[in-house]
Every structure is written in C-alpha cells, then in structure tokens.
Amino acid sequence: MFITVEGVDGAGKSTLVRGLGERLAAEGIDVVLSREPGGTPLGQQVRQILLDGEDMDAWTEVFLFCADRHHHVETLIRPALNAGKWFISDRYVDSTLVYQGYGQRLSLSRLRAVCELAIDGLWPDLTLCIDLPAEQAISRQLERNRLGQLDLSFYERVREGFHREAELTPQRFEMLKGDAPADEVLESAWQAVQDRRARLSALEHP
Ligand code: TMP
C-alpha cells in the first residue's frame, strides 16, 4: 500500500509519518518511510538546491520537484511496492499541485501534465492530509529556508488547494484535523489506513 502524507508546513507530517511507521512495523508490516523532496541521495542534492540554492522562477522549481519525484518513484517507491512493502512518503504529487498551482498560481492543467510524467501512473492508495489554519502553520514553522513563506494569504491558498484536491479525488483523500493533539491525529490516520486496507482487500478478493 502506498500512502502519502500532505499538509501545510508545520502541520505535523513528520510526526505522523513516524507514528504510522511504528504502528505498521509493530504489526509486522515491512514499511519504508521517505519524503519529498530528498528521499534519495540525488533527491537530497535537489532538496538543497531548492531550499538553500539561488533564486529561481516557479517553473524551474516545478521541474526540480518533479525530477526529485521521478527519481524517487523509479529507484525507491516502485521497487519497494513491487517487493510487497508498504511505502509512506511525506509529501508527493499533491504538494506540487497545491503549492505551485494554488499557492504560486501556475496553470493547474500544465502542472497535472508535468506531474503525470513524473509519477508515470503511480498515484497513492491513500493520501492523509493534515489540515491546519494558515496562522497556525506560520507560527509552527521552526525552520526557515528559501521556500518558507510568511505570507498568510499564500498558506490560505495552499490550505484551500488541499481541500479542492480532496474534493476532486475523495476516494483517496482523508482530511485530518491538525489542531488536535498528535496522538489523536495518529488515531484518525490509523483508522483511515485500516478502512483503506479493508477496501483494497475487498477489491482484490471479492
Ligand atoms: P518539507 O519542509 O515538508 O520537507 O517541504 C519543503 C518545502 O517544499 C515546503 O515549503 C513545501 C515545498 N514543496 C513545494 O512547494 N512543492 C512540492 O512539490 C514539494 C514536494 C514541496
């Protein structure tokens, strides 16, 4: 099963990814935890360029995010899934659609086309999106980098973007309340994973 975790910066994605990883491992499930950008050695270099490199325009950022993603898909995600493992990625394709599409206002149809090329059909089975009001997202940000934004309206557009994308693909999206305590967020996420797992297994063994 391929799970992605999405949300605005500061929403608590990495805590949730770790928590889910621990629960799955405790059930004896072989799970790989990763992130974008930066899930592979090449991706780490791309992440450094994106976060700390020179200024670049928004489409150059898109191609870098997508180069990282394509390499991640082909060298790590797809091989792990083919080997029967579970895979959890902290951010994936929805981050590009939402940050670059809704946040930076690039054309969504062009972004979808570029993202499709990058993932080559590998859509997640489940996307857990941690929802957090823009003010809280900004106040929770500990790390500042080139992509970090202090602009409230940017995060409002990003939050709205996640909601719109969730409405477009309700079969894989699950919205989680990010202003709840971390153990409650994990509990709701765990429930969503169990539900999805049951639905996938019903499809495989009707
Ligand atoms: P992170 O802090 O969650 O690792 O993400 C790094 C930053 O990159 C964060 O501000 C979100 C941004 N980002 C995009 O703008 N587009 C993307 O496609 C991805 C994966 C991340």
Side-chain angles (χ1 to χ4, degrees), residues 58-59 83 85 100 108 119 147 156 176 201:
W59 275 107
K85 296 179 187 172
Q100 278 64 50
L108 272 169
I119 66 171
L147 297 177
E156 277 165 355
L176 307 171
S201 138

Side-chain angles (χ1 to χ4, degrees), residues 160 162-171 173:
E160 173 65 21
F162 279 124
H163 280 276
R164 292 242 193 104
E165 288 302 307
E167 281 160 23
L168 288 175
T169 42
Q171 65 282 6
F173 255 97

Side-chain angles (χ1 to χ4, degrees), residues 9 13 36-37 47 65 69 91 95-96 99-100 147:
D9 305 62
K13 293 179 290 89
E36 289 190 0
R47 183 181 176 92
F65 281 121
R69 180 161 306 132
R91 294 200 186 281
S95 279
T96 307
Y99 275 79
Q100 278 64 50
L147 297 177

Side-chain angles (χ1 to χ4, degrees), residues 73-84:
V73 164
E74 297 308 334
T75 63
L76 214 62
I77 309 179
R78 214 188 292 276
L81 295 172
N82 286 345

Side-chain angles (χ1 to χ4, degrees), residues 10-154:
K13 293 179 290 89
S14 40
T15 308
L16 178 61
V17 169
R18 270 198 309 278
L20 282 176
E22 281 165 15
R23 286 214 183 180
L24 289 168
E27 287 213 348
I29 291 172
D30 201 349
V31 57
V32 181
L33 309 182
S34 189
R35 70 167 176 180
E36 289 190 0
T40 60
L42 185 147
Q44 285 286 0
Q45 294 178 302
V46 176
R47 183 181 176 92
Q48 206 169 352
I49 296 170
L50 277 161
L51 268 58
D52 302 314
E54 66 184 83
D55 277 342
M56 60 188 88
D57 78 1
W59 275 107
T60 308
E61 284 176 358
V62 169
F63 291 120
L64 286 173
F65 281 121
C66 284
D68 164 75
R69 180 161 306 132
H70 186 69
H71 189 68
H72 194 205
V73 164
E74 297 308 334
T75 63
L76 214 62
I77 309 179
R78 214 188 292 276
L81 295 172
N82 286 345
K85 296 179 187 172
W86 286 43
F87 201 100
I88 307 182
S89 184
D90 180 338
R91 294 200 186 281
Y92 191 58
V93 65
D94 299 296
S95 279
T96 307
L97 297 176
V98 167
Y99 275 79
Q100 278 64 50
Y102 297 84
Q104 308 230 40
R105 299 195 169 103
L106 297 185
S107 152
L108 272 169
S109 58
R110 287 181 170 192
L111 281 172
R112 284 190 210 284
V114 173
C115 285
E116 283 279 0
L117 280 175
I119 66 171
D120 197 16
L122 192 63
W123 286 92
D125 297 304
L126 173 67
T127 297
L128 299 164
C129 183
I130 311 181
D131 185 40
L132 195 71
E135 300 82 5
Q136 290 187 38
I138 288 177
S139 69
R140 280 196 197 175
Q141 274 183 56
L142 302 172
E143 186 192 328
R144 296 255 174 268
N145 55 53
R146 208 183 59 78
L147 297 177
Q149 304 254 355
L150 288 171
D151 179 357
L152 194 64
S153 63
F154 177 85

Side-chain angles (χ1 to χ4, degrees), residues 147-200:
L147 297 177
Q149 304 254 355
L150 288 171
D151 179 357
L152 194 64
S153 63
F154 177 85
Y155 283 110
E156 277 165 355
R157 290 199 301 282
V158 166
R159 185 186 188 201
E160 173 65 21
F162 279 124
H163 280 276
R164 292 242 193 104
E165 288 302 307
E167 281 160 23
L168 288 175
T169 42
Q171 65 282 6
R172 76 172 164 92
F173 255 97
E174 189 69 32
M175 276 289 172
L176 307 171
K177 279 176 171 292
D179 50 4
D183 54 340
E184 281 178 29
V185 179
L186 175 58
E187 213 45 62
S188 331
W190 186 244
Q191 196 52 55
V193 170
Q194 298 304 334
D195 292 349
R196 189 73 190 128
R197 190 183 188 183
R199 267 188 287 148
L200 284 177

